[in-house]
Amino acid sequence: MKHLAAYLLLGIGGNTDPSADDIKGVLSAVGIEAEDDRLDKLLEELKGKDLNELISEGSTKLASVPSGGGGAAAAGGAAAAGGDAAPEAAKEEAAEEEKEESDEDMGLGLFD
């Protein structure tokens, strides 16, 4: 992802065909070391392609992906219909709280 971000930054800056050295330069400017194998693969896949077209294609693909929101209502309806689901959930939450409290006993607090 960092390689792609650097590639896109260079593209926005006017470099329509960034080289591996260009991308490494951007990454090193912020203290990140480039991974040669991933960088080579990225450049191979983007070679000869227009960034604007790729972004446009990606946007249309993302538009067709469902983006949450409906799952919580379905889960709430299932719990209401189940009857026994609520006590089980309460038991699980209580068990999780006990586990969290036991971590405090070990003296490994965040601000110690």
Side-chain angles (χ1 to χ4, degrees):
M1 197 64 141
K2 59 189 171 190
H3 301 99
L4 179 58
Y7 187 94
L8 292 172
L9 284 171
L10 288 164
I12 290 170
N15 187 344
T16 58
D17 190 25
S19 68
D21 289 334
D22 295 335
I23 294 171
K24 287 179 183 180
V26 169
L27 293 176
S28 67
V30 293
I32 299 174
E33 188 174 327
E35 299 170 28
D36 290 330
D37 56 336
R38 289 185 179 207
L39 180 56
D40 292 340
K41 182 174 170 94
L42 174 73
L43 290 174
E44 180 182 316
E45 291 197 19
L46 294 177
K47 187 174 186 174
K49 296 183 180 177
D50 180 36
L51 280 178
N52 293 323
E53 289 178 18
L54 291 174
I55 291 171
S56 176
E57 288 174 19
S59 295
T60 57
K61 288 180 182 179
L62 273 176
S64 67
V65 175
S67 60
D84 291 336
E88 289 177 18
K91 289 179 187 177
E92 289 178 14
E93 287 180 23
E96 287 180 25
E97 288 178 19
E98 288 177 18
K99 287 180 185 177
E100 290 176 12
E101 289 175 8
S102 67
D103 288 343
E104 292 174 12
D105 296 337
M106 296 171 42
L108 298 174
L110 181 61
F111 300 106
D112 289 345

